[in-house]
Amino acid sequence: MPILSTGEILRSEARRNTPAGFRLRQILASGALVDDDLVCAVVGSRLRRDATGTSESSRGVILDGFPRTVQQAAFLDSVLADLGFPRPCVIHLEVSSQMLLKRLTARRHCAICGAIYNLVSRPSLRGSRCERDNGALIQRDDDSEGVILRRLAEYQKSSQPLVEYYAGSDYHRIDGNHEPEQILERLFEIAAPQQLLVEAYGD
Ligand code: AMP
């Protein structure tokens, strides 16, 4: 399934040398959330475009980092209903603040291909260079301790209410403090019936 990451899209928009790009850079570096209307417009147009294509997205789309507010979740429900899709399968990866701080301050990515590494759990075999293309490994502007704490506070305020919003629907909470292999196993358990559901819809 294709992955649509709102953080990735916003970071690439923020690299533009335009007033909008400059404004976005400031918001991302502060750890605040980007305006609901802007994020919804981006996601809505991508979903509509992909849904009308004959591409791999007919099996579904993985939304990474969206929705982050109840308003975004309501928007997603309305777009999916418009396109004739079922409500989303929601996966909540719950990780303690302490563990998040540890993981995010050690996160690095390749300046060329974007591949993600971690100084503690997944260091590059080439040190400070990417294993794939030898690109320099750099840190995200918002992965400093101060900004991470601000992002966590924003999560509590704006995203935590989503748990209630999705209660009683196709909602799965996974303990994300475990090792990646264990988390993947849980994800597969959840995704297997989803796959059947998508295939049944396809028929
Ligand atoms: P992420 O890559 O998901 O960690 O997102 C990085 C940053 O992009 C966030 O801290 C927000 O500033 C912004 N962002 C990403 N997704 C959203 C969203 N759904 N709504 C608002 N802001 C977002």
Side-chain angles (χ1 to χ4, degrees), residues 8 27 47 81 97-98 120 144 161 164 176-177 202:
E8 272 305 316
I27 299 173
L47 286 179
S97 300
Q98 206 187 359
V120 180
S144 64
E164 202 175 311
N177 294 292

Side-chain angles (χ1 to χ4, degrees), residues 5-192:
S5 155
T6 43
E8 272 305 316
I9 295 170
L10 294 168
R11 273 188 293 282
S12 106
E13 286 299 312
R15 281 194 284 272
R16 286 170 179 258
N17 241 340
T18 58
F22 178 72
R23 177 85 197 104
L24 260 183
R25 271 202 296 284
Q26 286 182 319
I27 299 173
L28 297 189
S30 76
L33 287 185
V34 174
D35 182 62
D36 279 337
D37 291 343
L38 174 67
V39 181
C40 288
V42 170
V43 173
S45 72
R46 288 283 182 108
L47 286 179
R48 286 178 200 284
R49 191 190 68 190
D50 288 356
T52 49
T54 51
S55 65
E56 52 189 345
S57 59
S58 55
R59 284 166 50 215
V61 176
I62 297 172
L63 291 171
D64 171 9
F66 183 93
R68 260 175 156 100
T69 65
V70 168
Q71 195 185 322
Q72 292 178 15
F75 171 82
L76 179 63
D77 279 342
S78 75
V79 176
L80 294 178
D82 248 20
L83 294 170
F85 292 138
R87 284 193 83 200
C89 165
V90 179
I91 296 176
H92 178 183
L93 280 165
E94 197 166 43
V95 183
S96 72
S97 300
Q98 206 187 359
M99 177 69 91
L100 281 172
L101 256 177
K102 214 172 104 187
R103 287 182 183 169
L104 296 181
T105 48
R107 176 162 66 178
R108 299 290 183 272
H109 68 272
C110 172
I112 298 174
C113 71
I116 296 174
Y117 295 88
N118 189 288
L119 297 180
V120 180
S121 58
R122 174 62 179 90
S124 166
L125 296 173
R126 292 196 186 183
S128 59
R129 296 267 155 192
C130 178
E131 289 169 14
R132 288 189 207 161
D133 54 19
N134 213 32
L137 298 187
I138 55 173
Q139 193 171 19
R140 262 170 58 169
D141 288 342
D142 58 352
D143 274 347
S144 64
E145 186 166 337
V147 183
I148 293 168
L149 294 177
R150 170 86 198 271
R151 285 158 64 199
L152 289 175
E154 187 67 63
Y155 174 83
Q156 282 303 331
K157 188 178 87 177
S158 307
S159 307
Q160 189 65 34
L162 285 172
V163 173
E164 202 175 311
Y165 182 88
Y166 284 118
S169 56
D170 195 0
Y171 165 84
H172 310 264
R173 190 193 298 250
I174 298 182
D175 183 349
N177 294 292
H178 295 301
E179 293 302 311
E181 295 72 23
Q182 288 167 286
I183 296 172
L184 192 63
E185 224 169 87
R186 268 295 287 135
L187 280 170
F188 280 147
E189 280 167 21
I190 296 165

